[in-house]
Amino acid sequence: MHSILFITSCLAAYSAAAPVFSNFYDFSDDMAEFLGRVSQHINGLDGFLGSLSCDRSSITLPSFASGLPAPTGQHPLYVALGRGTQNYTCATSTADSEPEAIGAVARLYNATCSAANFPDLMELLPAIAYRMNLPANEYDPFPPTNMNLIGHHFFEGKVPVFDLDTTPSRQLGVAKVKKDADLDAPESAVQGGNGAVAWLYLSATDGTVGRFSSVYRVDTAGGGAPKTCEGMPESFAVQYAANYYIYGQ
Ligand SMILES: *[C@@H]1O[C@H](CO)[C@@H](O)[C@H](O)[C@H]1NC(C)=O
Ligand SMILES: *[C@@H]1O[C@H](CO)[C@@H](O)[C@H](O)[C@H]1NC(C)=O
């Protein structure tokens, strides 16, 4: 009971604190570090909170995702915080051409239990992560809530891949997907320099290993390209973060 009260007051303090900052999302690295430590303490309570289970069936998409096809008949398997870059190319460096998306490269961190237990914190994760650099060592946990690496997101040609085989002993499968629907990110999204990339509904295609059926990209922060190629190099990368909700049959 005591620990549940503690968590509740931490979370309450956190959300109550938000409006105090003139621009909440421009917080410093110190603030990010502070939030990381708070979440580390919350995670540390896991041990004595036997009741804080990680019931994946309680995972739900953020309400704004209702603008995408529903995961009817599918079950939430994992939720991952993605942090990396969206990559683009430009045919010229003038206003006559537009950046073309050529893919993304991101690390995926295990946020499954946070999504099951603290759904209202989920939209803040990419907002915080966007402002933080990835750990130098690929296999170190990522500070916002000290999540462990659960996989990698990249493209094979034009095919988005979610590879959850991180180590020889952790083989969770590989989802190869195609885009079925998109939804402009809400205005409240962390825009970065050129806007937040769209929310997506991606469905599993040939080559998928494991029982994956779909992946939702939601709660996006940054990642958008400038409107035109004016002054841009031939290829460039834009920092982004997002939550990926991974469903299976
Ligand atoms: C994800 O993290 C939770 C603890 O927060 C753990 O119970 C679960 O096994 C992890 N899942 C994977 C696939 O690493
Ligand atoms: C995307 O950009 C990142 C960062 O510059 C780079 O490491 C990666 O190789 C690029 N990938 C592709 C497919 O362009």
Side-chain angles (χ1 to χ4, degrees), residues 85-88 102-105 155 235-237 239:
T85 63
Q86 295 285 326
N87 294 12
Y88 299 91
I102 55 156
V105 182
F155 276 59
S235 72
F236 60 95
Q239 301 292 324

Side-chain angles (χ1 to χ4, degrees), residues 102-116:
I102 55 156
V105 182
R107 287 189 210 161
L108 302 173
Y109 291 93
N110 179 9
T112 311
C113 294
S114 303

Side-chain angles (χ1 to χ4, degrees), residues 46 54 78 110-114 149-150 170 172:
D46 242 32
C54 179
Y78 307 106
N110 179 9
T112 311
C113 294
S114 303
L149 190 76
I150 197 181
R170 285 233 318 194
L172 302 175

Side-chain angles (χ1 to χ4, degrees), residues 28-249:
S28 62
D29 283 353
D30 287 343
M31 186 63 190
E33 166 92 23
F34 172 78
L35 294 175
R37 288 194 197 177
V38 168
S39 62
Q40 205 167 5
H41 289 304
I42 293 173
N43 285 348
L45 293 171
D46 242 32
F48 50 145
L49 274 185
S51 59
L52 188 63
S53 64
C54 179
D55 176 8
R56 291 193 280 190
S57 68
S58 67
I59 292 172
T60 54
L61 288 163
S63 55
F64 189 76
S66 61
L68 293 169
T72 310
Q74 307 178 50
H75 306 286
L77 297 179
Y78 307 106
V79 180
L81 167 68
R83 175 72 179 89
T85 63
Q86 295 285 326
N87 294 12
Y88 299 91
T89 56
C90 269
T92 68
S93 52
T94 68
D96 295 337
S97 51
E98 285 181 12
E100 188 184 340
I102 55 156
V105 182
R107 287 189 210 161
L108 302 173
Y109 291 93
N110 179 9
T112 311
C113 294
S114 303
N117 292 313
F118 306 116
D120 60 330
L121 288 187
M122 291 307 291
E123 67 172 314
L124 295 173
L125 276 185
I128 295 168
Y130 175 76
R131 290 259 172 338
M132 301 182 78
N133 293 323
L134 287 168
N137 179 347
E138 181 173 356
Y139 292 95
D140 282 351
F142 191 42
T145 58
N146 289 289
M147 291 164 285
N148 290 312
L149 190 76
I150 197 181
H152 295 91
H153 173 44
F154 52 89
F155 276 59
E156 275 179 9
K158 293 196 179 309
V159 181
V161 178
F162 295 84
D163 182 352
L164 305 191
D165 292 344
T166 38
T167 66
S169 62
R170 285 233 318 194
Q171 303 276 307
L172 302 175
V174 181
K176 297 190 178 181
V177 299
K178 67 174 171 57
K179 183 170 85 176
D180 280 355
D182 57 19
L183 176 68
D184 285 349
E187 277 172 21
S188 59
V190 172
Q191 302 293 322
N194 316 301
V197 283
W199 293 27
L200 302 177
Y201 175 68
L202 306 155
S203 65
T205 58
D206 293 351
T208 291
V209 179
R211 56 193 183 106
F212 303 113
S213 51
S214 69
V215 177
Y216 288 82
R217 181 177 79 186
V218 302
D219 300 329
T220 53
K227 285 206 165 45
T228 79
C229 286
E230 189 168 8
M232 299 307 293
E234 210 172 303
S235 72
F236 60 95
V238 181
Q239 301 292 324
Y240 90 108
N243 286 326
Y244 292 96
Y245 284 67
I246 302 171
Y247 282 77
Q249 295 298 345

